[in-house]
Amino acid sequence: MKYLIRRYSFYFGGDQPEVSWSERLRSCAGAFVGLILVFTIAKLLGELVGIDEWLMASLGASALLVFALPGSPMAQPWAVIAGNTLSALIGVTAITVMPEPLLAMPIAVSLSIMGMFVLRCLHPPAAAVALIAVLGHITHYCYAFFPVLLDSILLVFVAGVYSNLTGKRYPNRPK
């Protein structure tokens, strides 16, 4: 029985590394503080300039990466900022050129992945940014800059400050 549990626990999270409770709490508190700050600043800026779209939905997934896995290449500033912005641009283009969402969605996601490979900015939540643009029928390129670019920059900035204040190195620095 122990053999079976050990063998099949892999399929139920058994391959996940052990994480201390202090690190879990640090990551969760960072995501909370980071998102509160980003949402508040973005909402205020949106109201200031009269834009209703001040939030990108995939920011929660980006927060997981930058606060819980700050050493990951996919959580680094270039990956977060360029990956999200590029994917927003591609998503807007896809729904503009191909108004049929069933075709525009896979086109947007696959081209976003290719673009992130080319620009060396792989960031998994960014694929969702492209999908969100298509699903929301967002046809104005301003979306890529506000909220996507701005929210990404704010998140990276807050993550850098928070992580370094709490003993985690972010972003990675060349050795």
Side-chain angles (χ1 to χ4, degrees):
M1 187 61 152
K2 284 183 183 180
Y3 168 78
L4 290 175
I5 291 172
R6 206 173 323 115
R7 177 158 172 77
Y8 293 103
S9 69
F10 170 84
Y11 298 105
F12 299 99
D15 62 335
Q16 296 291 306
E18 283 295 319
V19 177
S20 70
W21 275 100
S22 62
E23 180 58 21
R24 292 176 192 188
L25 292 173
R26 189 200 69 75
S27 298
C28 291
F32 178 80
V33 169
L35 290 173
I36 281 285
L37 288 171
V38 171
F39 294 162
T40 302
I41 293 168
K43 183 162 178 29
L44 289 173
L45 290 173
E47 289 172 357
L48 187 67
V49 296
I51 297 177
D52 291 333
E53 295 169 347
W54 52 269
L55 170 67
M56 63 174 197
S58 64
L59 203 61
S62 293
L64 180 142
L65 284 169
V66 299
F67 289 104
L69 300 168
S72 168
M74 295 180 187
Q76 298 313 300
W78 175 248
V80 176
I81 296 166
N84 282 333
T85 305
L86 172 69
S87 295
L89 291 168
I90 292 171
V92 170
T93 302
I95 194 64
T96 302
V97 172
M98 174 59 58
E100 173 51 53
L102 286 176
L103 290 173
M105 288 186 292
I107 288 170
V109 172
S110 60
L111 289 178
S112 292
I113 293 169
M114 179 55 75
M116 287 186 282
F117 269 124
V118 170
L119 294 180
R120 301 178 55 90
C121 59
L122 283 172
H123 182 64
V129 173
L131 197 59
I132 290 164
V134 173
L135 286 171
H137 296 279
I138 299 168
T139 57
H140 50 87
Y141 287 98
C142 292
Y143 176 77
F145 303 103
F146 185 79
V148 176
L149 176 64
L150 179 70
D151 286 0
S152 299
I153 290 169
L154 289 172
L155 184 70
V156 164
F157 177 76
V158 172
V161 171
Y162 179 85
S163 292
N164 287 292
L165 287 175
T166 59
K168 278 287 186 185
R169 199 170 197 197
Y170 181 80
N172 284 346
R173 292 165 185 87
K175 295 178 183 188

